[in-house]
Amino acid sequence: MAVLTNTTSPTFATARDIKNRLLQGFSSIKQLKYVHAILLRVGLDQDSYLLNLLLRSCFHFGQTNNTHLIFSQTKEPNIFLYNTMIRGFVSNDCFQHAIEFYNSMRNEGFLPTNFTFPFVLKACAREHDFQLGVRIHSLIVKVGLDYDEFVKTSLLNLYVHCGYLADALKVFDDIPDKNVVSWTAIVSGYINEGNLEEAINMFRRLLHRGLKPDSFSIVRVLTACTQLGDLSTAKWIHGYVNEAGMGRNVFVATSLVDLYAKCGNMEKARHVFDQMPEKDIVSWSSMIQSYASNGFPKEALDVFYNMQRENLKPDHYTMVGVLSACASLGALELGVWASSLMERNEFLSNPVLGTALIDMYAKCGRMAQACKVFREMKDKDQVVWNAVVSGLSMNGYVKVAFGVFGQLEKCGIQPNGNTFVGLLCGCTHAGLVDEGRQFFNSMSRVFSLTPMIEHYGCMVDLLGRSGQLDEAHELIKSMPMEPNAIVWGALLAGCRLHKKTDLAEHVLNQLIALEPWNSGNYVLLSNVYSASHKWNDAAKIRSMMGDKGIQKIRGCSWVEVDGVVHEFLVGDNSHPLSEKIYSKLDELATKLKAAGFVPTTDHVLFDIEEEEKQHFLGCHSEKLALAFGLITTAPKDVIRIAKNLRVCGDCHEAIKLISKITGREIIVRDNNRFHCFIEGSCSCKDFW
């Protein structure tokens, strides 16, 4: 440092120039290396002041290895250089290196300062090195820095990160002037412990103290609201955000989008998204994922197209949402195109991306491609294995799914609850009651897994479809938890299939108590009455729905042609090709009748003439989608249709025969399983 204060030194001008260059900063690492070379040439490489500036610049470029090398060549490092090294490593997320330098500093006999402690405590927190953190806390008290606001806040963060909320609260209470950072740390601590209500209360107290929360504070408390599903508090915080002028903050706005979406309010989520003046890739990804996970796959793809117009490259999170949307729509061409926007190796080396691609292929009926991705994946975790097991099961390759399960065991991977959901669903689709019982019982006996409500639901579904309704009902009664709507719904489906009217009425009463707003429960019972020609009882159900303002969910089907997804509703006339579509349906009806097909009018709920029933059946959304596919695709193309509801029995029989008449392969995925129609037969073997 003497050379910078001695103006008569011959190297003073050079040193001053170097100092100015270091203070101004550099646009490239090449410039920085050039200045370092000058330092070495003129013998200023041991000047602590210039060296400190050089080290900071190196860390700015993320040159942690070079910085370490430069420091190691320093003959007499001081506390300032050690502080710069510790701070630089922490800033570059090299927390273990920061801890090592702290230990080295202590071994050299240097006493940490108030500039040392905040950074080394952050490193301890990120590395969960609680023991070292406690020792540092003792040293802080010894050197009399326990009054320092920044040191105290760093201690608070240490205890929160390491899960010691009670100790964190003691530190918090000892801080005389609590700032936003310390309050936010406590909010985070309560969130980490799952005490979400108290986290929100602490945020309220923060506001009552007159403090202005920053974007990180807002995002944390919104996280608590999201996990709680507390929409009213979220709206209050949203109002505060707008009043405080933070609505334009991209991080806060993205958190609001995520919150509203996870609370099921997609309209509000989209409003917040559209109001954002600037959107980053995280914002776009959040909107896409929100639509995909809330059952709006077409809207998810629309947002993705808009993102593409902004010339933004999709990240992993975006791609998972897009592939999920394509999977829901059965949009294979779109899914393949979207996946081509990323390197193939990214899918094969990332289990989350790989799973999304496997799931997309599986739900589009391309199990061969799904298995190819699976085989090529470099890292197969439990989720990847589960995706293949579930995919094989839903596509009807149940025995192959059993074989993959055997491979999973041989690879030393412990199956989890999701693995058995896939296996049990496969047994349900194939009617393998004995195998289903075996898998269900092996969960606890062999794998020490406690069957959850979804496993009981699968077993009830399996037994109900197989006609063993009394056993299914007894299983429900013996469950260690209260049955939910899915379990009772599975039994009701069995009652419909086997026309067990009395039991169906009992089940419906249970379902109405659990979810009185769900139209599907009423529709299923009405189906039971209609199939048994109990038209008056069916009419009462319809009347009950009308009195309660409950509307039946409209059937909706999607078909992809030339990379464009077309949507059809039951009785739809809105499509530009509607005239040709209905003309094709009339042509198919004539051919079906000539082939001896008689519409299964039991699936129509109304007590009307047979001819009118047949008209209603002809307007189902999957038939409209199929007719459109037939008139717009080449004769050898596979037609893929996705439907939001279970395909009805009449449509199932009709599509089987249409596949034979037209010589086309037709794949229909409803909300229950896959149906691959070829030459007059279906892969489900009429068991669904």
Side-chain angles (χ1 to χ4, degrees), residues 48 51-53 55-56 59 67 71 77-91 97-99 101-106 110-121 145:
S48 60
L51 195 56
N52 198 29
L53 294 176
L55 292 173
R56 288 186 183 184
F59 277 123
T67 311
F71 182 88
N78 57 25
I79 186 64
F80 303 106
L81 294 180
Y82 270 110
N83 282 347
T84 297
M85 291 299 292
I86 292 169
R87 177 177 182 173
F89 279 125
V90 169
S91 300
H97 285 314
I99 291 172
F101 258 82
Y102 172 78
N103 291 330
S104 176
M105 183 191 79
R106 294 292 291 134
F110 289 103
L111 194 64
T113 68
N114 58 327
F115 293 103
T116 316
F117 288 124
F119 294 103
V120 72
L121 284 169
L145 284 173

Side-chain angles (χ1 to χ4, degrees), residues 201-218:
N201 289 337
M202 291 299 286
F203 180 77
R204 291 181 188 275
R205 288 176 59 189
L206 179 158
L207 294 180
H208 291 157
R209 293 291 180 95
L211 292 171
K212 184 178 179 181
D214 58 15
S215 59
F216 183 72
S217 308
I218 297 292

Side-chain angles (χ1 to χ4, degrees), residues 1-13:
M1 188 63 196
V3 76
L4 289 179
T5 57
N6 183 7
T7 57
T8 62
S9 170
T11 55
F12 176 78

Side-chain angles (χ1 to χ4, degrees), residues 362 367 371 387-398 400-402 404 426:
M367 221 35 238
C371 289
V388 174
V389 170
S390 297
L392 288 165
S393 294
M394 77 169 72
N395 278 277
Y397 303 108
V398 184
V400 182
F402 295 169
V404 171

Side-chain angles (χ1 to χ4, degrees), residues 298 329 553-559 566-570 572 620-622 625 641-646 669-670:
K298 209 163 181 297
L329 294 169
I553 299 171
R554 291 188 73 184
C556 181
S557 295
W558 301 272
V559 61
H566 298 262
E567 183 178 80
F568 295 91
L569 297 171
V570 59
D572 205 342
H620 281 187
S621 62
E622 58 266 52
I641 299 168
K643 186 179 181 182
N644 66 333
L645 303 174
R646 181 181 181 275
R669 195 189 81 244
D670 62 13

Side-chain angles (χ1 to χ4, degrees), residues 157-170:
N157 275 307
L158 168 76
Y159 285 114
V160 166
H161 266 86
C162 293
Y164 292 88
L165 183 58
D167 294 308
L169 286 168
K170 291 177 183 177

Side-chain angles (χ1 to χ4, degrees), residues 315-596:
D315 62 5
H316 292 182
Y317 190 69
T318 314
M319 189 56 63
V320 169
V322 170
L323 291 177
S324 174
C326 292
S328 298
L329 294 169
L332 178 64
E333 288 180 49
L334 278 176
V336 172
W337 167 76
S339 65
S340 70
L341 299 175
M342 299 185 81
E343 293 291 333
R344 175 79 169 181
N345 192 54
E346 291 190 64
F347 288 97
L348 302 181
S349 58
N350 185 307
V352 176
L353 273 178
T355 299
L357 189 59
I358 290 169
D359 186 61
M360 187 276 293
Y361 277 126
K363 287 180 178 174
C364 289
R366 286 294 186 90
M367 221 35 238
Q369 283 88 337
C371 289
K372 186 174 185 292
V373 174
F374 173 73
R375 286 193 301 271
E376 293 176 357
M377 286 196 67
K378 298 168 185 175
D379 182 19
K380 300 183 182 74
D381 63 9
Q382 193 180 63
V383 180
V384 175
W385 283 92
N386 287 350
V388 174
V389 170
S390 297
L392 288 165
S393 294
M394 77 169 72
N395 278 277
Y397 303 108
V398 184
K399 296 294 185 180
V400 182
F402 295 169
V404 171
F405 176 69
Q407 291 177 33
L408 179 150
E409 291 183 274
K410 289 177 183 177
C411 289
I413 296 176
Q414 176 74 11
N416 64 3
N418 290 334
T419 316
F420 284 95
V421 168
L423 292 168
L424 291 171
C425 284
C427 293
T428 299
H429 296 327
L432 303 176
V433 178
D434 292 337
E435 288 85 346
R437 284 199 190 99
Q438 185 178 340
F439 281 123
F440 183 79
N441 293 330
S442 70
M443 286 184 67
S444 55
R445 295 175 183 175
V446 180
F447 299 99
S448 300
L449 293 171
T450 302
M452 305 301 289
I453 196 161
E454 55 266 28
H455 302 110
Y456 281 98
C458 289
M459 281 304 298
V460 170
D461 196 18
L462 172 59
L463 294 168
R465 289 174 188 275
S466 301
Q468 302 179 46
L469 295 166
D470 291 335
E471 184 180 346
H473 194 195
E474 287 302 316
L475 180 62
I476 291 176
K477 293 178 182 178
S478 68
M479 285 171 56
M481 70 286 288
E482 286 295 318
N484 61 12
I486 295 173
V487 175
W488 285 114
L491 184 57
L492 185 59
C495 293
R496 183 203 64 80
L497 190 63
H498 298 284
K499 299 181 175 61
K500 192 77 177 273
T501 310
D502 294 340
L503 182 57
E505 288 183 271
H506 166 71
V507 173
L508 181 67
N509 289 328
Q510 305 299 320
L511 282 167
I512 289 175
L514 288 169
E515 42 180 37
W517 41 265
N518 190 339
S519 65
N521 303 326
Y522 300 90
V523 171
L524 270 173
L525 184 60
S526 189
N527 270 325
V528 172
Y529 286 139
S530 296
S532 302
H533 300 286
K534 295 182 178 180
W535 304 114
N536 290 334
D537 291 328
K540 288 179 183 177
I541 295 296
R542 295 198 306 274
S543 176
M544 187 189 304
M545 290 176 68
D547 293 342
K548 294 185 177 183
I550 299 168
Q551 294 184 342
K552 180 186 175 185
I553 299 171
R554 291 188 73 184
C556 181
S557 295
W558 301 272
V559 61
E560 180 190 33
V561 176
D562 296 329
V564 178
V565 176
H566 298 262
E567 183 178 80
F568 295 91
L569 297 171
V570 59
D572 205 342
N573 287 292
S574 62
H575 197 279
L577 296 180
S578 279
E579 188 174 333
K580 291 183 178 180
I581 290 170
Y582 280 97
S583 176
K584 186 66 176 179
L585 283 176
D586 290 340
E587 176 192 324
L588 288 171
T590 301
K591 290 181 179 180
L592 286 170
K593 189 174 183 180

Side-chain angles (χ1 to χ4, degrees), residues 3 11 14-15 18 38-40 42-47 50-51:
V3 76
T11 55
T14 303
I18 292 172
I38 296 175
L39 273 177
L40 291 167
V42 299
L44 293 174
D45 56 305
Q46 296 300 316
D47 185 279
L50 294 177
L51 195 56

